[in-house]
Amino acid sequence: MNSYNHYAYGAVCQWLFESVAGISPSPSAPGFAEVIVDPVPIPSLSPVSAHHDISQGRIEAGWQCDGNKVTYVLKLPEGCIGRFRPGKRHQNPSLNGEPIAEEAVLAPGTHRLVFSLPNS
């Protein structure tokens, strides 16, 4: 009999949610009232979708690669905000059609983030 509560299973799930899907809780706002948005697309996994049910509703995230272009869609419920900070793996990012260069605060609702992957 194997326990599905074993740490190794949890570590894989945490990596899938926080890195691949790009949604992790902010240490400053417990209970997913604030979400750190930082997807790490792996083109061979495309498309990816995930959801997480929280007390405020459901967080939904997903991305799809088209060559080195990534389209990431995030839906946040009322009472939850997101923070996206462009990094080295998010080249030329735009949020809801507008270019961004610094941290963006995402209100509840649906957001479309488009960026290019760095050349390998």
Side-chain angles (χ1 to χ4, degrees), residues 17-18 21-25 32 35-36 38 50-52 59 61 72 74:
F17 275 97
E18 293 184 4
I23 51 176
S24 59
F32 284 88
V35 177
I36 306 297
D38 189 16
H51 70 270
H52 183 64
I59 299 171
Y72 180 81
L74 176 69

Side-chain angles (χ1 to χ4, degrees), residues 35-103:
V35 177
I36 306 297
V37 179
D38 189 16
V40 181
I42 300 170
S44 60
L45 294 179
S46 182
V48 164
S49 65
H51 70 270
H52 183 64
D53 293 322
I54 60 174
S55 61
Q56 299 92 322
R58 177 172 279 193
I59 299 171
E60 297 177 25
W63 53 260
Q64 181 171 316
C65 290
D66 183 12
N68 76 332
K69 178 183 169 187
V70 177
T71 302
Y72 180 81
V73 178
L74 176 69
K75 184 176 180 183
L76 299 171
E78 287 296 324
C80 178
I81 64 166
R83 291 192 183 273
F84 171 72
R85 186 174 299 132
K88 292 179 182 178
R89 63 179 156 255
H90 312 113
Q91 302 292 305
N92 304 311
S94 67
L95 179 63
N96 301 324
E98 298 293 324
I100 55 172
E102 298 180 7
E103 181 178 86

